[in-house]
Amino acid sequence: MTTILVPYHQDERVEIPVRADITVEPDFPGGDAWQQVAALCDATAAAVAPAVARGEVPLVFSGDCLVGGGVVAGTQRAGADPAIVWFDAHGDVHTVETSTSGYLGGMSLRLVTGAHPERYADRFGLRPLGPERAVLVNARDLDPAEAEYLATSATGRIPVDQVTVDALPPGALVLHVDVDVIDPADLPGLKFPVPGGPSADEVLAACGRVLATGRVVAVHVSCPWWVATDREQDVTRERLAAQFAAL
């Protein structure tokens, strides 16, 4: 397995305690946030594609869910046509029009499934997935506009304990995990914590069930957390990264 580190939240560096085979260091062009994100995703896709082409399942760690589109694009460059299984405490299905904060990360899944292609997908060669090719796992914190969208969208939504073979889209899969899907009691220091979530063990077990299908072509673990405030947080993060690598 090739481990790829993308140590950025948009263009801000994030500390992620993993030993990587490849560290992605984009040539950020300046300009607006969309241009920075496109550069980050393009560089990620360039790192992912060769590993997938060799028949490996690359494990990508980043600080930003927006990198998920770069992971998908990398698998597409290698000839795969994946669906996506998206673990997250949030919906990530806002658009520019529905977001009240303007935070691009809150649009991540919606961008992967075709929103605003001229700002995102077209800039790094992502072929957006149809909404029916995405399953959102958990998403316990939805804004009203997100809940309204998901009520009629073809995107599936299931709890962690219902992640089974029958609940997954057919064909190849990209497994995306925003670590904030884990209850913050198990993982302190998250940028966007949402209480009432599953334990780390429950999330890892569900990811194991997805991987056991043999259909996963890439794994992306997004780590949007603050700088660790003590050694205990560092140890918790190191252990979690090692557990993902061991799946």
Side-chain angles (χ1 to χ4, degrees), residues 12 14-15 188-193 223-229 233 237:
E12 176 187 353
V14 177
E15 292 300 321
L190 295 165
K191 287 190 173 184
F192 309 106
C223 306
W225 49 41
W226 301 109
V227 174
T229 56
Q233 284 191 7
R237 294 172 183 185

Side-chain angles (χ1 to χ4, degrees), residues 54-82:
R54 291 192 298 267
E56 299 178 21
V57 179
L59 173 59
V60 182
F61 288 93
S62 84
D64 195 340
C65 285
L66 290 160
V67 172
V71 175
V72 174
T75 70
Q76 292 173 338
R77 292 182 192 187
D81 182 23

Side-chain angles (χ1 to χ4, degrees), residues 87 137-138 159-163 181-183 186 196-209:
F87 284 69
V137 181
N138 191 257
V160 167
D161 63 1
Q162 291 184 20
V163 175
V181 71
I182 297 168
D183 192 278
D186 266 15
S199 68
D201 286 345
E202 289 170 322
V203 170
L204 288 161
C207 291
R209 294 194 294 274

Side-chain angles (χ1 to χ4, degrees), residues 22-38:
I22 299 168
T23 298
V24 173
E25 295 288 358
D27 183 12
F28 288 112
D32 65 15
W34 292 102
Q35 291 171 293
Q36 306 295 80
V37 166

Side-chain angles (χ1 to χ4, degrees), residues 25-173:
E25 295 288 358
D27 183 12
F28 288 112
D32 65 15
W34 292 102
Q35 291 171 293
Q36 306 295 80
V37 166
L40 186 63
C41 288
D42 187 53
T44 300
V48 167
V52 176
R54 291 192 298 267
E56 299 178 21
V57 179
L59 173 59
V60 182
F61 288 93
S62 84
D64 195 340
C65 285
L66 290 160
V67 172
V71 175
V72 174
T75 70
Q76 292 173 338
R77 292 182 192 187
D81 182 23
I84 196 161
V85 184
W86 191 282
F87 284 69
D88 207 304
H90 309 87
D92 288 1
V93 290
H94 272 298
T95 64
V96 169
E97 292 78 19
T98 66
S99 175
T100 57
S101 67
Y103 175 58
L104 301 192
M107 309 177 198
S108 301
L109 178 56
R110 194 75 174 271
L111 294 169
V112 170
T113 56
H116 311 301
E118 72 288 351
R119 303 189 191 204
Y120 183 74
D122 292 353
R123 291 182 171 184
F124 57 94
L126 170 68
R127 299 191 301 277
L129 309 182
E132 74 283 355
R133 299 283 288 156
V135 172
L136 179 58
V137 181
N138 191 257
R140 59 189 179 274
D141 184 17
L142 298 175
D143 290 337
E146 293 182 299
E148 182 179 354
Y149 168 75
L150 289 169
T152 58
S153 172
T155 294
R157 182 180 168 212
I158 56 175
V160 167
D161 63 1
Q162 291 184 20
V163 175
T164 63
V165 173
D166 292 341
L168 303 177
L173 301 169

